[in-house]
Amino acid sequence: MKYNLNGQQPKVKSMANLDVNPQGYQEQLIEKKARLEQMFACYQMPKLEVFESESQHYRMRAEFRVWHEGDDLYYIMFNQQTREKYRVDQFPAASRVINDVMPLLIEAIKDKDSLRRKLFQVDFLSTLSGEILVSLLYHRQLNEQWIENAKVLKQCLNDKGYPLNIIGRARKMKIVLDRDYVIEKLNVNGQSYLYQQVENSFTQPNGKVAEKMLEWAIDCTQNSQGDLLELYCGNGNFSLALAQNFNRVLATELAKPSVESAQYNIAANKIDNVQILRLSAEEFTQAIEGKREFRRLKDAGVDLASYDCNTIFVDPPRAGMDLDTCKMVQGYQRIVYISCNPETLKENLDILSKTHQVTRFALFDQFPYTHHMEAGVMLERRA
């Protein structure tokens, strides 16, 4: 019996390199550099600092749909323009450990009905340190037979040298063997930082570029005075590395799993001058302006008035900062802004540039061979 995503006869082409072309990497990076400089040509921008990626095996995360064709089973992806399906046996953009595990995993699943039946997606989360987490997603409920076979699969891959954990997901069901996170180790200016990265939570996808982003942010804030305020802190990725440059760091994040990971990371790295609050940027703006009180602040014993923050660090989602948050951010002497969407960065700069001058400008190539760009700016208040 054949089973596929839409119940139709499968027509899947093979696609070997998925547009990952190491020989053309520098050319695409030059194009991005020119495009970013053109976007911000209306401002008096300093020289663009460019931080390149590895030309392949740079993504720590990957997800694939699964195609069932008779007795065969394989990964597929979709062309974003045509929605055409492509068979994927290897994925050069993904980390080496993901590429190593991909064929071993699919072969082991193929002959086990309890593991393959109605499996429709496989997600991989890996680290520079070699850990890997695999999530298997199903259109059916999972039973004890699935658990027993998944344990055997996990042990088999562990025995082959892959420190792998497995998660089984179905509607309103999540089974974890044995944990739902990996521990990433980033090397930043010769110092190692440990980060808990939980399945389905945001993490920087390109590990090596993430290290360069942290080093750039540390360099921007050298010789800082007072404390740091950070909005949208995630799992404390920047908070922990920047703590060395400030007396204290007050960081906010709305997503509960990210806040919990941030607390884990503070303890794991033995950093004692970082305080994480579960607040959105909009909520923090209301709190700092005295427009609203939050029990979460009282419960955490945080006195906002006790902080002496001259510098603010922001890493907002693709939508950028809302108007009220932008105006609040203008109250700080220095602003360090990491953006995953230069379009909304430009919109925010239309406001911030009225009071601040850009003194550092960076391109981080988190997503090679795509149109996506990660940008960084540092702004200082005009005299």
Side-chain angles (χ1 to χ4, degrees):
M1 178 179 178
K2 295 184 179 181
Y3 170 79
N4 59 32
L5 297 177
N6 55 19
Q8 299 175 351
Q9 182 72 18
K11 296 178 181 179
V12 182
K13 295 183 179 180
S14 176
M15 187 177 180
N17 61 15
L18 296 147
D19 299 323
V20 174
N21 175 22
Q23 290 71 36
Y25 175 73
Q26 289 299 326
E27 182 179 349
Q28 67 93 41
L29 184 60
I30 289 170
E31 185 277 328
K32 282 185 178 179
K33 176 177 180 290
R35 183 154 47 94
L36 192 64
E37 288 176 327
Q38 181 60 36
M39 282 183 66
F40 291 88
C42 58
Y43 301 101
Q44 293 181 332
M45 303 297 280
K47 182 179 179 180
L48 182 65
E49 304 166 65
V50 180
F51 298 89
E52 63 185 64
S53 170
E54 301 287 326
S55 60
Q56 57 183 332
H57 302 307
Y58 47 84
R59 280 192 65 89
M60 297 297 104
R61 302 195 307 260
E63 61 182 48
F64 306 97
R65 300 300 289 268
V66 174
W67 199 266
H68 299 245
E69 186 174 1
D71 293 332
D72 202 3
L73 187 73
Y74 47 85
Y75 308 105
I76 66 167
M77 296 182 72
F78 294 89
N79 182 298
Q80 294 300 308
Q81 281 74 44
T82 66
R83 301 304 295 167
E84 187 177 18
K85 306 172 186 67
Y86 292 97
R87 176 169 178 158
V88 182
D89 295 318
Q90 290 282 271
F91 187 50
S95 67
R96 291 187 184 276
V97 68
I98 290 177
N99 279 278
D100 288 347
V101 168
M102 284 174 66
L104 299 176
L105 185 80
I106 208 75
E107 280 302 315
I109 290 174
K110 190 180 296 184
D111 297 328
K112 291 287 189 296
D113 181 69
S114 68
L115 294 179
R116 70 172 284 165
R117 186 162 54 90
K118 295 194 176 181
L119 172 69
F120 72 92
Q121 184 166 315
V122 179
D123 297 348
F124 296 91
L125 173 62
S126 67
T127 68
L128 294 173
S129 55
E131 291 188 16
I132 185 166
L133 177 66
V134 175
S135 299
L136 305 176
L137 284 63
Y138 292 86
H139 284 313
R140 67 176 177 89
Q141 295 297 288
L142 306 179
N143 55 23
E144 288 298 324
Q145 185 65 50
W146 182 91
I147 294 174
E148 290 307 311
N149 284 333
K151 286 180 178 178
V152 172
L153 171 62
K154 170 179 158 56
Q155 188 61 53
C156 176
L157 288 168
N158 288 170
D159 291 344
K160 291 181 179 180
Y162 298 101
L164 173 145
N165 290 289
I166 292 176
I167 296 173
R169 281 191 173 274
R171 182 177 173 83
K172 297 183 179 180
M173 175 179 280
K174 177 181 177 182
I175 299 173
V176 179
L177 306 174
D178 286 307
R179 65 186 197 188
D180 65 350
Y181 63 89
V182 293
I183 300 296
E184 179 61 287
K185 182 184 294 185
L186 299 182
N187 188 294
V188 183
N189 295 328
Q191 181 175 346
S192 291
Y193 290 90
L194 301 177
Y195 293 96
Q196 181 191 67
Q197 299 182 343
V198 178
E199 182 229 19
N200 274 353
S201 294
F202 174 78
T203 56
Q204 297 289 351
N206 190 321
K208 287 296 183 182
V209 173
E211 292 177 334
K212 295 175 182 181
M213 292 169 69
L214 293 174
E215 291 176 347
W216 180 82
I218 290 170
D219 187 55
C220 284
T221 56
Q222 288 285 357
N223 304 314
S224 295
Q225 302 294 320
D227 304 321
L228 172 69
L229 171 62
E230 180 182 358
L231 307 182
Y232 321 95
C233 77
N235 69 352
N237 181 54
F238 285 97
S239 319
L240 304 185
L242 290 174
Q244 62 189 283
N245 286 345
F246 297 90
N247 295 332
R248 293 186 296 170
V249 176
L250 179 64
T252 72
E253 168 60 44
L254 181 60
K256 189 175 181 180
S258 294
V259 172
E260 291 172 348
S261 289
Q263 301 291 8
Y264 179 103
N265 296 336
I266 290 170
N269 290 279
K270 299 180 173 60
I271 294 175
D272 60 7
N273 65 333
V274 176
Q275 173 79 53
I276 306 290
L277 298 175
R278 186 167 170 257
L279 291 172
S280 69
E282 294 81 1
E283 288 172 334
F284 182 84
T285 299
Q286 293 171 343
I288 197 71
E289 293 177 351
K291 295 178 179 178
R292 184 178 169 191
E293 292 185 357
F294 291 88
R295 181 176 295 276
R296 279 165 281 174
L297 286 174
K298 291 183 178 180
D299 291 346
V302 174
D303 178 12
L304 295 180
S306 71
Y307 281 85
D308 179 24
C309 299
N310 298 311
T311 304
I312 185 166
F313 184 96
V314 296
D315 183 7
R318 291 189 60 79
M321 295 189 294
D322 65 279
L323 179 59
D324 288 341
T325 302
C326 271
K327 290 179 178 179
M328 185 272 287
V329 165
Q330 284 180 295
Y332 293 83
Q333 183 70 28
R334 295 193 301 177
I335 306 165
V336 183
Y337 189 140
I338 297 289
S339 171
C340 60
N341 184 357
E343 295 286 350
T344 54
L345 171 61
K346 192 170 184 295
E347 292 173 4
N348 287 165
L349 277 186
D350 287 341
I351 299 170
L352 300 178
S353 63
K354 294 176 181 178
T355 52
H356 290 69
Q357 174 69 44
V358 178
T359 56
R360 298 281 294 268
F361 184 30
L363 165 63
F364 305 101
D365 196 19
Q366 278 267 8
F367 306 96
Y369 315 109
T370 75
H371 72 280
H372 294 293
M373 295 184 289
E374 194 101 359
V377 294
M378 177 173 166
L379 303 100
E380 299 186 68
R381 191 191 303 279
R382 298 182 186 277

